[in-house]
Amino acid sequence: MSNVGAQLRRDRRRSMREDTKLSTARRILTLLPLTAILAACDRSVLDPAGDIALQQRDIIYISTALMLLIIVPVIALIIVFAWRYRHTNKDATYDPDFDHSTSLELVIWSAPLLIIICLGALTWWSTHLLDPFRPLDRVAAGRPVDPKVKPLVVQVVSLDWKWLFIYPEQGVASVNELVMPVDRPVRFELTSTNMMNTFYAPTLAGMIYVMPGMKSQLHAVINREGAFRGMSANYSGEGFSHMRFKLYGVKDGGFDAWVGRVKGSGQALDTTRYLALERPSERVPAMYFASVDATLFDRIYNRCVRPGTPCMTDLMRRDMKAGGPMHSGHGNPPPDGDKPKGALFKTDEEKGVAPGRATPPSPVPSGTPAAEQHQGHQKTSSLQLPAVPRAHRASAA
């Protein structure tokens, strides 16, 4: 019997070890998808290559630290209170009639209020300092912009589903490839052809929305060489997932060499070729244009690329000259002193009689038969009909 009992105990221990191995394997298999997801995460936002993206990353760190000043103590206090005032702890104070503590209320309300004030001040400061329309005053921390260095101008056009980059000073253009010289300020001018989109290069700067018929700006700089990526961050149709571009940071000599290679490509971006490029297409490889029509970006912005299409600026200028809506105040604020007066502030003479508006009745002299008849009509109109019982309403329905 003793041998049988020992064998049973050995079998039980072996079974327990096997169960432990199985549970460990299940845990590993459960964590594998989470590990794969974390491995796929892109750390571009936390690994900036430009000064603007670096400052934005620091704001994320500071905001997270400020919020953790509340989250960590609260979580710690929950654990402490749960352990301190557990049911089996007879030494803990038991006060079922407790309902108020001035000191506790002061801590509960003052700490979050201070955090909110700090976050609000940080938001206000960063909103003005990192305004995309604000020209750069530094290329990196402790390195102000050299006033002799002129910012590089890059015109960005959102197409379906690709990005067009025009370098007006160099007279070249590229599709889905953006090349920037290191430590040189860049002024982006952005617009879209068909629908709203978002220009986003995580290592360079934040998201900038672009819309048809509107022109936005972004001032940024890249501080190290390398190959990075950009994308469309706003859903814009079927090819949105592949609307990406390559961003290269190069030295000044490398940028000049790239411009020279593009100029040697021999392909010109004129109106005809642009209209072909504007058609929706997906997974477009990098394309280069040795020359660009100098007026192309302005015509894209004014929505008059196609021959014979009037530009928005011409239409607005013509409308203002003709005294149209833009001149008369529809769509633009009226000049000072010409603001129309609301109907509530007008006299009867100022209101007049509009078409379809009944003329107000003239007053009826009191003491006359017509006055008594008018009062009878007023009393009759003020009578209320008795409520219909539910049964009658149901049968009528």
Side-chain angles (χ1 to χ4, degrees), residues 222-391:
I222 194 165
N223 299 119
R224 58 185 170 95
E225 294 181 270
F228 312 98
R229 67 183 183 91
M231 70 191 79
S232 165
N234 188 79
Y235 181 72
S236 56
E238 184 178 0
F240 155 76
S241 301
H242 308 291
M243 192 174 173
R244 302 172 182 272
F245 63 90
K246 288 290 186 179
L247 168 62
Y248 294 99
V250 296
K251 295 292 186 180
D252 287 338
F255 178 73
D256 294 336
W258 177 81
V259 172
R261 289 195 301 271
V262 174
K263 284 183 176 293
S265 63
Q267 194 175 18
L269 184 60
D270 52 14
T271 300
T272 303
R273 187 157 284 141
Y274 171 79
L275 292 176
L277 180 67
E278 190 183 23
R279 298 192 191 104
S281 55
E282 299 181 33
R283 301 176 183 267
V284 178
M287 301 172 60
Y288 309 99
F289 301 95
S291 61
V292 185
D293 185 343
T295 64
L296 180 61
F297 181 79
D298 288 333
R299 288 190 290 129
I300 295 172
Y301 159 57
N302 282 290
R303 303 181 64 79
C304 57
V305 178
R306 294 184 180 276
T309 305
C311 294
M312 292 193 309
T313 52
D314 295 335
L315 291 175
M316 289 188 289
R317 190 180 302 110
R318 188 186 312 161
D319 186 71
M320 292 180 66
K321 289 181 179 179
M326 297 295 292
H327 180 76
S328 60
H330 298 284
N332 275 346
D336 295 338
D338 295 337
K339 184 176 180 180
K341 188 187 297 183
L344 292 175
F345 302 98
K346 289 182 178 180
T347 62
D348 291 338
E349 290 78 8
E350 290 176 327
K351 291 179 183 178
V353 180
R357 178 171 178 259
T359 305
S362 56
V364 182
S366 59
T368 62
E372 296 176 0
Q373 184 179 5
H374 179 67
Q375 292 177 358
H377 287 320
Q378 286 184 331
K379 292 179 181 179
T380 304
S381 62
S382 63
L383 293 177
Q384 296 187 3
L385 297 175
V388 180
R390 284 187 179 178

Side-chain angles (χ1 to χ4, degrees), residues 132-147:
F133 283 81
R134 183 175 182 265
L136 300 182
D137 54 6
R138 74 178 202 184
V139 295
R143 295 170 55 194
V145 172
D146 187 354

Side-chain angles (χ1 to χ4, degrees), residues 29 47 61 99 168-169 179 254 265 273 287 303 320 352 377 395:
L29 291 175
D47 186 24
Y61 284 161
D99 62 353
E169 297 172 351
V179 179
S265 63
R273 187 157 284 141
M287 301 172 60
R303 303 181 64 79
M320 292 180 66
H377 287 320
S395 60

Side-chain angles (χ1 to χ4, degrees), residues 92-306:
T93 303
Y94 178 68
D95 187 4
D97 297 326
F98 173 82
D99 62 353
H100 180 71
S101 171
T102 302
S103 301
L104 188 60
E105 291 283 346
L106 184 63
V107 172
I108 290 174
W109 290 105
S110 62
L113 182 61
L114 291 175
I115 298 299
I116 293 172
I117 292 174
C118 293
L119 287 173
L122 178 65
T123 302
W124 185 90
W125 170 79
S126 61
T127 300
H128 289 79
L129 182 65
L130 302 179
D131 183 358
F133 283 81
R134 183 175 182 265
L136 300 182
D137 54 6
R138 74 178 202 184
V139 295
R143 295 170 55 194
V145 172
D146 187 354
K148 299 178 182 178
V149 177
K150 184 180 179 182
L152 174 67
V153 178
V154 179
Q155 297 169 336
V156 183
V157 182
S158 168
L159 303 167
D160 293 334
W161 288 275
K162 47 198 169 288
W163 294 96
L164 172 63
F165 301 101
I166 301 174
Y167 296 79
E169 297 172 351
Q170 289 72 26
V172 298
S174 61
V175 173
N176 287 343
E177 183 173 302
L178 173 62
V179 179
M180 298 173 55
V182 172
D183 292 339
R184 181 178 176 182
V186 179
R187 186 181 82 240
F188 292 96
E189 298 176 352
L190 308 100
T191 190
S192 179
T193 58
N194 187 31
M195 62 182 68
M196 184 175 75
N197 218 314
T198 305
F199 175 82
Y200 185 36
T203 58
L204 182 67
M207 301 181 186
I208 302 297
Y209 283 87
V210 293
M211 296 180 65
M214 298 182 66
K215 183 167 62 175
S216 186
Q217 279 190 22
L218 169 65
H219 290 81
V221 64
I222 194 165
N223 299 119
R224 58 185 170 95
E225 294 181 270
F228 312 98
R229 67 183 183 91
M231 70 191 79
S232 165
N234 188 79
Y235 181 72
S236 56
E238 184 178 0
F240 155 76
S241 301
H242 308 291
M243 192 174 173
R244 302 172 182 272
F245 63 90
K246 288 290 186 179
L247 168 62
Y248 294 99
V250 296
K251 295 292 186 180
D252 287 338
F255 178 73
D256 294 336
W258 177 81
V259 172
R261 289 195 301 271
V262 174
K263 284 183 176 293
S265 63
Q267 194 175 18
L269 184 60
D270 52 14
T271 300
T272 303
R273 187 157 284 141
Y274 171 79
L275 292 176
L277 180 67
E278 190 183 23
R279 298 192 191 104
S281 55
E282 299 181 33
R283 301 176 183 267
V284 178
M287 301 172 60
Y288 309 99
F289 301 95
S291 61
V292 185
D293 185 343
T295 64
L296 180 61
F297 181 79
D298 288 333
R299 288 190 290 129
I300 295 172
Y301 159 57
N302 282 290
R303 303 181 64 79
C304 57
V305 178
R306 294 184 180 276

